[in-house]
Each structure stands twice: as C-alpha cells, then as structure tokens.
Amino acid sequence: MPVRSLFKLRMSSGKRRVVVTGLGAVCSLGNDIRSVWKKILDGKCGITHVKSPAFENVPVKIAAPVSKDSGFVSEEWLSKLKEKRVDTPEVLYSFAASSRALEDAKHENIQAKESAGVCIGSSILAINEVLAETKVISEKGPRRISSFVIPKVLLNTPAAIVSMQYGFQGPNLAPSTACSAGAHAIGEAFRLIRNGDTDVMVTGGTDAALISFIVAAFSRIKALTTKFNNNPEEASRPFDKLRSGFVMADGAATLILEEYNHAKARNAPMYAEILGYGLSGDAYHLTSPPDDARGAIRSMRSALRDANLTPEDICYVNAHATSTPVGDAVENYAIKKVFNDHARNIKVSSTKGSTGHLLGAAGALEAVFTTLAVHEGVAPPTLNLHEVSSKSEFNLNYVPNKCEELVVDKGKQRIALSNSFGFGGTNACLCIGEVQ
C-alpha cells in the first residue's frame, strides 16, 4: 500500500500517531546509544568472562555485564538521583537510560507533566536484596532488616523512580512478562498515547539478574550455553548450527514515545513511528514454545493488522532469537509462515549475538535497534552466524556478521517488526516504521 494511502488510513481511523523522539540504552557495549549502535553495526560483542568468585561453582563462566569497562559508573548516576536510598542496579540502569533518552528528546520542552507517563518492564528484580535480607533475618533477626527492602524489590520501582525524578504524573505502569516485558511496556505505552490517555511516555525495560543464583538456576534448566566458556565472543550465535543456549546480560533501554503533533509542536526529533502492536499467549508450556509457533505467528499477524499493513510492507525483522536450538527454529518457522513468499525478500537478524540476552530489557533494547534500523536504512548483523543447521529450513537472509542496507521500492516506507517471546508463552511484536 502506498505511503500516502497508509497515512490517510491512519488519520481517518481517528487514532493518533505515535513517534519515537528519544533513545537511551545501558548495556555491555556502553551507555551512549550512538556508540552502542556503531558497535552493533561494526559487529562488536559485549560478552566476556565472568571474573566473580561467586561463579566458581557455576557451570556458566561468561556473560554480558554492565560495568565500568563499558563506561557505566554507578556512583555517577546515584549522585543524580533524588531518591538515593533505592540504589539497585535495575533502578540505576533504567534511570540512566531514561535520562539519556529524555535528553535526546529535548525533555525540557515537555511542559504538561500530567500528560507524560512512565512504563518500564522487567522480569527479575533485586534478587540480591532478597538474598541479603534473608541472611540478615537468619543471623540478626527481623528488626535488623532494611526498611527499604520492600521498595527495592517492587517491580514498579524503576518506573516510579523515573516518574518521581522528572515529575511525570501521567500513567505509571510496570509490566512483568519475562523476556517480553520491555516490548510489552512499549506496546502498552503506544496504546495509551494513540488512544488519547496521554501525550508522552517514557518506556522500555530494565534487568540486572547477573548473579550466581540466577545464572545457576537458568543453567539447571539448560537454557544457557556452556560450550563457549573459553571463547565468550563466539557464545551467542542466533540461527547458527552450533547454537546451544543463550548468554545472560544486564542493562536497560528506553524510548520516548510521543503523539505526533505534540512532538512536531515542540520541534522534537523523530526517529521512527510506532505503527502497530500485537501480543498473544501460547497456552502451551512454561519454558518451551509450541512446534507450530502459533503464539509467535499470532503476535506478528496482530501487529500487522493493528498497523493496517500486509506482510509485503515489511523489509526487516529484528528476531527474538536467543541462540537456543528450539527457540530459534520455532521463530524461523513462524516468520516463514507469516511472510510466505515475501520471506525471501526481507532481512532477519538477531542483535543478541552482540549483546547477549537482557531478559526483561531485551525487547526494549531491540526496539531501539529496530528504530535506528528503519531511521538509517540499515539492518544490524547477526553475529557468529557461520553455518545454519539446515539450509532447507534456515533459508532466509539472516544478515550474517555484517550489516546490510535496507532497500525498499521507491515511494515505500521502511517498516520493520521487532519480536519478543517470554517464558510462560507470552509474546509481543512491535511494528516500527520510518516517519513519513
């Protein structure tokens, strides 16, 4: 469908347009989105050896941490917080990513605080605090427990802190849907703006689950790879023949979503437009997707339907693909079912080869990358993809190891899907296009 016709259709539907006006990220590759994006396009990897003594007896020895080596200094961001007593990594990461995104979006021009809200998702929050306070009550008794342990472990605390820091009085939400949480947060924020409930949303995801207890637990269910402990940069290999599990990562990512006319009136930058949002449930298994990929298929088709688009309008898919044998195969099957013959014309890549898997923040970080992909016309690479397991099954363009230009026909809009699938069979898909 021509761009002009799409625009008229959206306007006639009575639904408001929603654009992305700011981007921020904290991950193993850095905490400045421009440098992170450049490293992604250059094929850099943030996965490294875990040096902590706490991992001595854990079979996994690699991860993608946020650290001073990646440019993140916790003390710097804690000093900027108004509420310094809630100092968990999840809060600091989301605060830093949100602060960067708001700066990028020229937030000083956002005047109506009551029409600006926050929606930040996460999957596993402040487990270290729980373990520490469990030890305190065991050794010293209940009266010695920190009075701030409850605020630290509440799943909505990262969103609450950003809201308090900037005085945003609009909707304040915190989805917790495993590895789909960041994408669900963005999708729900998109709906709130589109439906007229608010004008601006700070949205994304945050997670800091890189502790020995959680890594050991994921290892126990064989979700993590242990085959590349001596070669961490090769460990996360979506769609590759030797993929054997995902690599844990920490971080956060934030997008500033804004109603189109509101953004235009204050001369805000516009990176992309959120066109649609789809979600579904597998109703199948706690940790495995069904072989027929029914939930993934429904979420993608729902996002396309919500955006009034057809599969032929899409040029790129940022896949959830975490580098697990089953998960990548099922998603690949779903993409081929949704796009049919057009599948050979699109580019499909997973940026987890570079970043590892940020759990509840993964969908948000990948939405940032998808936004930049359609904005700049370039598909980021799938790192460590050297050979697929079956050429008849994995026969799409997975953008192996080097970025590729996103080419569309003259007059067409660059439009992409960003997939996120979580434990419990919870699925989300975001449809993101360049601004026209």
Side-chain angles (χ1 to χ4, degrees):
M1 188 179 294
V3 171
R4 190 170 304 221
S5 299
L6 282 173
F7 178 77
K8 286 182 178 179
L9 183 58
R10 290 175 200 136
M11 295 303 291
S12 63
S13 69
K15 295 178 179 178
R16 308 197 307 168
R17 297 177 67 189
V18 181
V19 293
V20 181
T21 59
L23 300 169
V26 172
C27 66
S28 59
L29 291 173
N31 62 102
D32 172 75
I33 190 57
R34 299 300 180 278
S35 64
V36 169
W37 179 236
K38 185 178 186 306
K39 289 176 182 177
I40 289 289
L41 297 183
D42 289 345
K44 304 297 183 184
C45 180
I47 300 170
T48 186
H49 291 106
V50 177
K51 301 174 183 178
S52 170
F55 283 76
E56 183 177 348
N57 295 319
V58 178
V60 175
K61 307 297 183 184
I62 57 175
V66 174
S67 66
K68 289 184 179 179
D69 291 340
S70 60
F72 186 83
V73 181
S74 297
E75 295 80 8
E76 174 189 342
W77 291 101
L78 182 59
S79 68
K80 297 177 182 180
L81 267 182
K82 292 178 180 177
E83 180 50 81
K84 294 180 172 56
R85 292 170 292 183
V86 185
D87 58 354
T88 63
E90 297 90 345
V91 164
L92 294 179
Y93 297 162
S94 65
F95 169 54
S98 299
S99 178
R100 296 283 198 198
L102 284 162
E103 182 181 348
D104 192 31
K106 302 179 181 178
H107 72 88
E108 67 276 4
N109 293 336
I110 300 174
Q111 303 299 327
K113 304 292 187 181
E114 68 276 5
S115 65
V118 183
C119 187
I120 296 174
S122 61
S123 67
I124 302 172
L125 201 64
I127 294 296
N128 254 344
E129 296 292 331
V130 174
L131 295 175
E133 295 302 324
T134 299
K135 185 176 181 181
V136 168
I137 194 171
S138 175
E139 295 178 354
K140 300 179 181 179
R143 294 181 64 83
R144 299 297 296 275
I145 294 176
S146 168
S147 59
F148 269 81
V149 67
I150 293 300
K152 286 182 178 182
V153 302
L154 290 176
L155 287 163
N156 70 315
T157 294
I161 290 295
V162 171
S163 173
M164 292 162 57
Q165 185 79 17
Y166 292 96
F168 295 149
Q169 301 164 37
N172 194 306
L173 304 172
S176 181
T177 48
C179 303
S180 298
H184 278 136
I186 296 165
E188 295 307 316
F190 158 67
R191 283 181 169 179
L192 286 166
I193 297 173
R194 186 178 66 177
N195 294 341
D197 296 292
T198 189
D199 293 324
V200 181
M201 289 294 292
V202 182
T203 183
T206 184
D207 247 314
L210 263 180
I211 61 173
S212 58
F213 173 77
I214 295 298
V215 174
F218 272 114
S219 297
R220 185 71 178 83
I221 59 173
K222 303 187 184 328
L224 307 181
T225 181
T226 58
K227 293 184 178 181
F228 296 88
N229 282 338
N230 296 323
N231 194 4
E233 291 190 353
E234 290 281 330
S236 183
R237 41 200 319 117
F239 302 118
D240 188 76
K241 182 178 181 179
L242 298 181
R243 68 188 189 277
S244 56
F246 70 83
V247 178
M248 289 272 292
D250 277 354
T254 302
L255 297 83
I256 309 304
L257 303 190
E258 196 164 346
E259 192 275 324
Y260 174 80
N261 289 317
H262 187 276
K264 189 175 180 180
R266 66 182 194 86
N267 197 31
M270 297 186 194
Y271 289 100
E273 182 172 358
I274 308 296
L275 302 173
Y277 167 48
L279 63 169
S280 70
D282 291 340
Y284 174 74
H285 191 272
L286 278 174
T287 59
S288 297
D291 291 341
D292 64 5
R294 55 182 180 263
I297 291 169
R298 278 200 308 276
S299 66
M300 284 189 275
R301 286 177 174 166
S302 179
L304 290 170
R305 184 172 59 251
D306 191 43
N308 291 310
L309 297 173
T310 67
E312 289 71 28
D313 294 310
I314 305 300
C315 65
Y316 171 62
V317 175
N318 187 290
H320 178 74
T322 62
S323 186
T324 61
V326 174
D328 290 13
V330 170
E331 183 174 12
N332 180 68
Y333 175 81
I335 291 169
K336 292 170 70 173
K337 289 292 286 185
V338 169
F339 290 96
N340 295 311
D341 291 341
H342 182 61
R344 63 177 178 268
N345 302 320
I346 64 174
K347 300 183 192 299
V348 179
S349 70
S350 171
T351 42
K352 289 185 178 75
S354 295
T355 66
H357 187 9
L358 281 74
L359 304 184
L365 186 61
E366 288 148 21
V368 168
F369 294 152
T370 306
T371 294
L372 289 168
V374 297
H375 178 64
E376 297 185 1
V378 59
T382 301
L383 221 56
N384 301 317
L385 177 50
H386 304 300
E387 182 184 359
V388 296
S389 51
S390 166
K391 291 185 179 179
S392 61
E393 180 184 2
F394 293 93
N395 55 3
L396 305 179
N397 179 357
Y398 305 103
V399 198
N401 300 304
K402 291 185 179 180
C403 60
E404 297 181 14
E405 184 180 359
L406 284 177
V407 179
V408 296
D409 293 337
K410 186 177 180 180
K412 286 199 70 175
Q413 187 179 14
R414 288 192 296 268
I415 306 174
L417 297 183
S418 183
N419 286 337
S420 291
F421 310 131
F423 277 5
T426 179
N427 311 300
C429 181
L430 298 165
C431 184
I432 303 173
E434 64 175 318
V435 180
Q436 296 279 3

